[in-house]
Amino acid sequence: MIVRAGAAVGALAVLPLTLSSYQVDLLTKMLIFAIFAMSLNLSLGYAGLPSLGHAAYFGVGAYTVGLLAVRVWNNFWVDMACGLAAAAVAAALFGLLALRAEGSYLLMITLALAQVLWGIAFGWRRLTGGDDGLPGIPRPAEGLPLSLADGRRFYYLVLVCFVVSVGVLALVTRSPFGRALVGIRESARRMEVLGYDTWRYKYVAFVLAGLFAGLAGNLFVYYNGFVSPAYLSIVFSAAALIMVILGGAGTLLGPVLGSAVIVYLENAVSAYTQRWLLVLGLVYVAVTLFVPEGLVGLLRRRKAQAA
Amino acid sequence: MSRTLRFVLSLAVALAPAVAAAQAPPVKLGLLLPYTGVLSVQGTDVTNGIELFLKKIGGRAGGREIQLLKEDDEAKPDVGITKLKKLVERDRADFLVGPVSSVVALAIRNYVHEQGTPLVVPVAFTRVLTSPQQASPSIFRLAETTDQSNYPMGAWMIKHTKYRKVIVMATDFVAGRHAVEAFMAGFKAAGGEIVKEIYAPLNTPDFAPYLAQAGSLQADAVYAWFAGADAIRFVKQYKEYGLAARMPLTGHGVLTDDTVLPAIGDAALGILTMHGYSAAVDNPENRAFVRDYEAAYKVWPSRYSEGGWDTAMLIAEALESLKGDLSNRDRVREALRTALPKLKLPRGSVQFDAYRQVIAPILVTRTEKQGSRIVNAVVDRIPSVSQEATWGWWNK
Amino acid sequence: MSFYLIQILNGVSFGMLLFLLAAGLSLIYGLMRILNLAHGSYYVLGAYTALSVARATESLLLAGLAGVAVVTAVGVFMERVLLRRVPRAELPQALLTFGMLLILGDLCLWYWGGTPQTLPRPEALSGAVQVGTFFFPAYRLFVIGVGTTVGVALWLLQEHTRLGAMIRAAIDDAEIARTTGINVSVLSTVVFALGAALAALGGIIGGPMLGVYPGADFEILLLAFVVVIIGGLGSLKGAFVGALLVGLLDTFGKARFPELAMFTIFAPMALILAVRPTGLFGAR
């Protein structure tokens, strides 16, 4: 397992040397969205908490970093730390409200909360630039030994964050905490009878998911140099959802696969046609109809059948 | 020598120049424009203007073929950045053209500056782009800034009309706000009073709440800035709510530009606006341009079409002077800069200032019916307005 | 004074459009527990279809009928062919309907282009009515009329017809309804079709007032969501009251606090969800 992981990381580390700057850029985007999807997976796939508003924490992280970098103090460590903290706080607050609901109501309340943030970002022009957003956010440079303005150098930062995220999430999901979460997802009542405080487990998972979504948001705002209310919208939340479901909810690396497929598809399809959203919509429909267990589930099934 | 061999050789000699020319790769113009959304008509018009000019010169300049690569920025900054990266890094565009949206322009400015690909801006008029702080050697703007086309209206109104108290209404985004800021600064500097500022979000379908608010106040006129579909709805609803009788509508040219006039219809009559171009401008170049444009596209050209035409003319002229050699970016930039004063544009003659912002004539027009068509008839013309003459109120 | 009256009429007319959408969304959820995120597309597709038919035939009546018919067909297709194949869980259903929202939205963009359009309004309703020192567009009064009529008709359907009784029974408890001989399967399709038709009607009536453009589907869907959450899922009265509330909040919010315009709608929604998750009139 460790050997395979090491080989994969090694491959990802060496890849930029053979790729064009445009391709490295694309790979960077894939890794950022992989982190975003994995964060949602913790909430959805492991804790069984579906959310139509996960972009809220992504966006909060992004806006925090953006606002600090442009208006207050452009220092990589400070801005990143604040971005992560803001995302975690948002998740902590929203979790208190959201976890009172289940099923459709959970979907709706998470959407509603994300929309409240969207409304603030959209309306409070003086702070956030409103619908115009905040342009001109520089790549991380201050506070670091060298500037990450170069695409390849920035890629390595994202890669490090990705590896750390995978590592932490792997540890969490394989720990007793993680196993309890799965138990709660399967049957909360049974776990309660066994003496688990199910609410607390779900809450911790929710906040942790928000934290990692914030990390993805932080990186994305550096990637684009720009932040806008779109980062808080249902479009981003739904994209994370489909990446998780396409890859395989409840598996560690499913979301990574899902995000790679979606980002790659978007890039490939957009080169030939304007109809990317049509294709994306078809992906949503096809996945829910034909591949509900995700690609990883599909691969496992094939392997089991072959064996 | 055998007859066949001689034949083949003469054929080769005859074809050689064509082959050699065909071997020089085409010059790639990357167009970053909105093809969907509220500003989509402007994006299409710019493209039409470019294509019309290229057709006129046979699609070639400086000995090379010109190829257009069109990307839809949807007037959204994040989409704009993504598509721009595609144009620059994957498609290796030699020149960039666009955008329409000022918001997109601001978002892409750093990237263009870093990459060094020359960008010709036909429409986006945010003053920030060519201000002393943000101007870039790679960015050349052919459209007047919001200051150039709004600030002078204040003084003009005080001098030529009886309006002394004005309500200002605009779309709540960069372009709208900057435009009315400039007008207000000019109007107040000339002694006028601003009664209220009312802003509506971009793509507001229903201006009822805002119009009702304006209607409840006392003023001599309304100065408005709304673009595209917003302009159509706003002007129509302005008439429907009966405000036109009490408070004449005035505004920036975007309110009644030639793209929206046909859709607004009679509700647009009598509106006083200021802009850099009207299809009703009377000079030989413009008459020819309007005639060719109408023949090709069945409608009159707008300032966006004219912007596209000017852009293509500028790039073609630069290519000619470089003889198609784009290897040295500094020389390309210099060629663009020096080409402009030589051109005879439909709007007249213009030049670049020190920040590569155009110094251009500004028109005051009033919408009226000429025959069966509603046009922006020229009422007054201010020959050469520069951004520096109009930025005193913010660039101290 | 007339300023307030105008704003109230504005808010109510906008609210009526929202009601047409929210009623359908609420009914569909009430009976089938499906959150139909494609509802926004029904609005837009209805408007666009009516636009094309109006241009081709010069008949606004035909345009309206065509718009409703096309969207109802799409709704029936979605319900019978797609939604039945998906497990009865909220996430797959939400993703499926969201996928349809994207697909329909892009198809509309492809066919009708990116420029915002306005539907033509009937000559008779193009004028304005004088209210104090203002003029109020007659068309908006028409919209208020239509919305109220539809509201009354739906209420009559729900309370005083057999179909309405069957729907109410099935909403209360589908299992028991089935045992009394009610064909819940057919009923589901009927309700879904009705919801789609209402949304299409909203688009057709709203088209001359608000126009139709890419992105309108998302915008109207989110607003309908707010209405349904505030009013309560599954309740017709809730949809009506919620729609009026949101219409007025939106109008006054834009007039008084333009900076907070979006916030004034979403914050009450979040508040209701926190305090009374089932909405003002929702059951369970």
Side-chain angles (χ1 to χ4, degrees):
Chain A
M1 172 60 8
I2 307 279
V3 174
R4 263 190 291 172
V9 172
L12 283 174
V14 169
L15 215 46
L17 303 173
T18 63
L19 297 175
S20 73
S21 70
Y22 184 71
Q23 287 167 317
V24 171
D25 207 61
L26 196 62
L27 201 55
T28 312
K29 193 172 182 186
M30 282 184 192
L31 290 178
I32 294 177
F33 277 94
I35 299 176
F36 187 33
M38 284 195 299
S39 74
L40 178 60
N41 190 27
L42 184 63
S43 159
L44 165 66
Y46 286 94
L49 300 167
S51 164
L52 265 179
H54 205 60
Y57 321 110
F58 182 87
V60 163
Y63 264 102
T64 308
V65 167
L67 285 168
L68 285 176
V70 167
R71 304 244 173 104
V72 180
W73 186 5
N74 183 13
N75 177 298
F76 173 70
W77 302 105
V78 170
D79 297 347
M80 278 289 267
C82 290
L84 290 174
V89 166
L93 284 172
F94 284 3
L96 291 173
L97 282 172
L99 289 185
R100 297 172 60 188
E102 299 193 308
S104 307
Y105 282 98
L106 179 57
L107 280 176
M108 286 197 295
I109 192 169
T110 48
L111 175 60
L113 292 168
Q115 281 303 122
V116 169
L117 286 181
W118 182 90
I120 295 175
F122 187 86
W124 200 350
R125 300 195 98 254
R126 228 164 310 171
L127 181 67
T128 63
D131 200 27
D132 299 335
L134 282 173
I137 297 165
R139 284 270 166 93
E142 305 299 317
L144 288 170
L146 29 82
S147 150
L148 296 178
D150 173 57
R152 287 196 166 84
R153 289 207 200 136
F154 183 68
Y155 168 81
Y156 285 114
L157 170 70
V158 172
L159 182 61
V160 166
C161 292
F162 173 73
V163 171
V164 167
S165 305
V166 173
V168 170
L169 288 171
L171 280 172
V172 167
T173 53
R174 273 152 228 256
S175 71
F177 173 81
R179 281 193 285 261
L181 270 185
V182 174
I184 292 170
R185 183 192 76 206
E186 294 301 313
S187 169
R189 208 159 292 174
R190 207 189 311 150
M191 295 302 281
E192 264 171 32
V193 163
L194 288 171
Y196 284 87
D197 182 353
T198 57
W199 186 90
R200 196 170 316 169
Y201 277 84
K202 287 196 281 192
Y203 184 68
V204 171
F206 193 84
V207 175
L208 207 56
L211 179 73
F212 279 96
L215 175 63
N218 289 1
L219 293 172
F220 195 60
V221 79
Y222 281 130
Y223 173 77
N224 256 349
F226 172 80
V227 63
S228 81
Y231 292 19
L232 293 158
S233 72
I234 186 177
V235 177
F236 270 70
S237 295
L241 267 178
I242 201 66
M243 289 177 192
V244 172
I245 305 244
L246 173 63
T251 68
L252 183 63
L253 292 175
V256 177
L257 185 58
S259 74
V261 169
I262 297 284
V263 171
Y264 176 78
L265 258 184
E266 182 197 8
N267 188 63
V269 170
S270 301
Y272 293 108
T273 166
Q274 301 271 47
R275 310 261 72 82
W276 159 242
L277 286 177
L278 178 64
V279 172
L280 184 63
L282 287 168
V283 169
Y284 278 59
V285 172
V287 168
T288 48
L289 281 177
F290 304 123
V291 198
E293 78 269 38
L295 291 172
V296 170
L298 200 65
L299 286 170
R300 279 189 190 157
R301 215 182 345 131
R302 288 275 172 80
K303 224 196 313 187
Q305 279 173 348
Chain B
M1 224 189 273
S2 77
R3 265 211 307 172
T4 334
L5 191 56
R6 240 185 303 170
F7 176 69
V8 168
L9 275 175
S10 51
L11 206 62
V13 168
L15 286 176
V19 170
Q23 272 171 355
V27 174
K28 295 192 209 155
L29 254 63
L31 306 187
L32 186 70
L33 297 167
Y35 292 108
T36 54
V38 175
L39 303 178
S40 60
V41 179
Q42 305 184 7
T44 312
D45 270 17
V46 170
T47 311
N48 288 350
I50 294 175
E51 287 177 338
L52 190 67
F53 184 81
L54 290 180
K55 201 158 84 164
K56 182 169 163 206
I57 60 168
R60 302 179 66 84
R64 291 170 71 174
E65 188 201 327
I66 298 179
Q67 189 186 53
L68 294 180
L69 302 167
K70 301 178 199 167
E71 290 288 351
D72 181 7
D73 67 9
E74 298 176 35
K76 294 192 186 129
D78 42 344
V79 178
I81 293 174
T82 311
K83 299 281 171 79
L84 188 66
K85 283 187 186 172
K86 232 193 265 194
L87 284 170
V88 171
E89 293 182 43
R90 199 190 57 193
D91 301 326
R92 306 239 157 265
D94 299 297
F95 293 91
L96 297 169
V97 175
V100 166
S101 159
S102 289
V103 186
V104 175
L106 289 175
I108 64 174
R109 183 258 167 215
N110 282 350
Y111 183 78
V112 172
H113 181 66
E114 278 154 29
Q115 293 287 330
T117 315
L119 170 70
V120 180
V121 183
V123 178
F125 26 64
T126 166
R127 65 174 74 99
V128 177
L129 202 61
T130 51
S131 62
Q133 300 84 9
Q134 291 268 351
S136 162
S138 301
I139 299 181
F140 299 81
R141 176 149 58 178
L142 294 179
E144 64 280 5
T145 64
T146 43
D147 293 328
Q148 285 170 293
S149 57
N150 284 283
Y151 188 86
M153 187 59 148
W156 193 93
M157 246 193 224
I158 297 285
K159 195 154 158 218
H160 298 272
T161 73
K162 295 214 173 56
Y163 310 146
R164 298 292 174 267
K165 293 162 75 164
V166 166
I167 297 173
V168 153
M169 299 182 73
T171 302
D172 196 2
F173 82 134
V174 168
R177 282 186 169 256
H178 280 193
V180 296
E181 266 172 10
F183 167 75
M184 291 193 289
F187 193 61
K188 284 196 268 200
E193 180 195 328
I194 300 293
V195 172
K196 188 118 190 350
E197 301 167 42
I198 302 175
Y199 299 100
L202 185 65
N203 209 15
T204 295
D206 183 24
F207 290 97
Y210 310 97
L211 290 168
Q213 211 186 1
S216 68
L217 301 162
Q218 285 289 75
D220 302 321
V222 165
Y223 185 83
W225 191 101
F226 290 100
D230 280 346
I232 300 173
R233 288 187 289 255
F234 180 79
V235 175
K236 273 183 153 157
Q237 290 172 21
Y238 194 86
K239 178 98 181 286
E240 269 170 22
Y241 275 86
L243 282 116
R246 238 186 342 115
M247 287 190 294
L249 184 58
T250 69
H252 179 269
V254 71
L255 198 66
T256 58
D257 71 34
D258 297 284
T259 55
V260 299
L261 272 182
I264 302 178
D266 285 352
L269 290 172
I271 301 178
L272 210 58
T273 56
M274 172 172 274
H275 32 178
Y277 176 78
S278 158
V281 161
D282 197 10
N283 68 44
E285 280 77 35
N286 191 46
R287 281 200 297 270
F289 171 60
V290 172
R291 195 192 54 228
D292 292 340
Y293 194 90
E294 187 167 21
Y297 300 109
K298 311 280 177 285
V299 289
W300 261 23
S302 63
R303 60 183 290 265
Y304 315 105
S305 324
E306 201 262 350
W309 173 275
D310 293 352
T311 302
M313 201 191 278
L314 179 67
I315 294 179
E317 181 66 30
L319 275 172
E320 285 292 331
S321 72
L322 289 165
K323 306 233 192 315
D325 178 11
L326 299 176
S327 52
N328 183 328
R329 276 267 163 86
D330 285 327
R331 286 188 57 224
V332 175
R333 288 192 266 265
E334 188 58 22
L336 281 171
R337 204 180 62 78
T338 50
L340 190 63
K342 302 186 221 157
L343 305 176
K344 281 213 171 78
L345 306 174
R347 60 176 130 153
S349 132
V350 303
Q351 41 181 316
F352 281 128
D353 68 11
Y355 305 99
R356 289 154 297 277
Q357 168 60 29
V358 75
I359 301 175
I362 295 291
L363 311 166
V364 178
T365 64
R366 180 181 270 114
T367 43
E368 59 180 46
K369 233 185 181 133
Q370 282 178 1
S372 64
R373 194 192 294 268
I374 302 181
V375 304
N376 290 299
V378 180
V379 165
D380 202 354
R381 183 175 192 269
I382 311 172
S384 75
V385 180
S386 68
Q387 64 169 343
E388 296 182 55
T390 56
W391 73 23
W393 61 278
W394 61 270
N395 190 32
K396 301 202 168 38
Chain C
M1 182 56 225
S2 33
F3 168 71
Y4 279 102
L5 187 58
I6 296 276
Q7 294 295 49
I8 290 175
L9 286 173
N10 280 331
V12 171
S13 56
F14 184 51
M16 287 298 110
L17 282 182
L18 293 178
F19 168 66
L20 289 172
L21 261 120
L25 201 60
S26 198
L27 274 175
I28 291 174
Y29 183 84
L31 182 62
M32 300 182 282
R33 293 280 177 276
I34 293 178
L35 266 179
N36 182 25
L37 295 176
H39 222 67
S41 320
Y42 294 165
Y43 176 93
V44 159
L45 185 60
Y48 272 128
T49 309
L51 181 69
S52 285
V53 173
R55 285 199 181 138
T57 67
E58 304 274 317
S59 161
L60 292 174
L61 182 63
L62 214 59
L65 289 172
V68 171
V70 166
V71 171
T72 310
V74 170
V76 169
F77 169 77
M78 267 187 67
E79 199 269 331
R80 286 218 89 95
V81 175
L82 295 178
L83 282 164
R84 292 197 184 207
R85 293 225 162 84
V86 158
R88 283 198 138 252
E90 46 295 308
L91 195 57
Q93 285 169 348
L95 283 176
L96 182 78
T97 55
F98 189 77
M100 285 304 295
L101 177 68
L102 291 177
I103 292 173
L104 291 170
D106 203 46
L107 286 174
C108 287
L109 177 62
W110 196 3
Y111 188 73
W112 282 283
T115 312
Q117 319 255 14
T118 318
L119 267 65
R121 56 182 87 175
E123 272 306 312
L125 296 169
S126 316
V129 168
Q130 189 146 11
V131 178
T133 47
F134 295 101
F135 289 88
F136 192 73
Y139 190 77
R140 281 179 173 255
L141 290 173
F142 169 67
V143 170
I144 295 178
V146 168
T148 322
T149 313
V150 169
V152 168
L154 283 175
W155 180 77
L156 284 172
L157 176 77
Q158 184 181 271
E159 298 295 317
H160 295 285
T161 66
R162 238 182 106 230
L163 179 62
M166 288 199 287
I167 293 176
R168 271 183 295 135
I171 287 180
D172 266 344
D173 194 324
E175 281 308 309
I176 294 187
R178 231 174 254 124
T179 61
T180 67
I182 294 177
N183 189 336
V184 177
S185 164
V186 168
L187 208 58
S188 300
T189 309
V190 167
V191 165
F192 206 91
L194 181 62
L198 284 170
L201 185 64
I204 296 163
I205 301 291
M209 198 169 108
L210 302 183
V212 63
Y213 46 90
D217 45 6
F218 269 87
E219 287 172 25
I220 209 89
L221 175 72
L222 285 170
L223 285 171
F225 235 74
V226 178
V227 169
V228 154
I229 288 175
I230 290 181
L233 280 169
S235 159
L236 196 62
K237 196 177 3 170
F240 195 81
V241 170
L244 281 177
L245 219 71
V246 173
L248 288 167
L249 270 174
D250 185 63
T251 302
F252 278 98
K254 282 193 173 122
R256 279 265 164 274
F257 314 108
E259 298 221 315
L260 297 175
M262 293 286 135
F263 183 77
T264 52
I265 302 173
F266 293 123
M269 170 169 86
L271 197 66
I272 293 263
L273 273 173
V275 166
R276 204 193 145 93
T278 48
L280 293 173
F281 296 99
R284 253 180 270 162

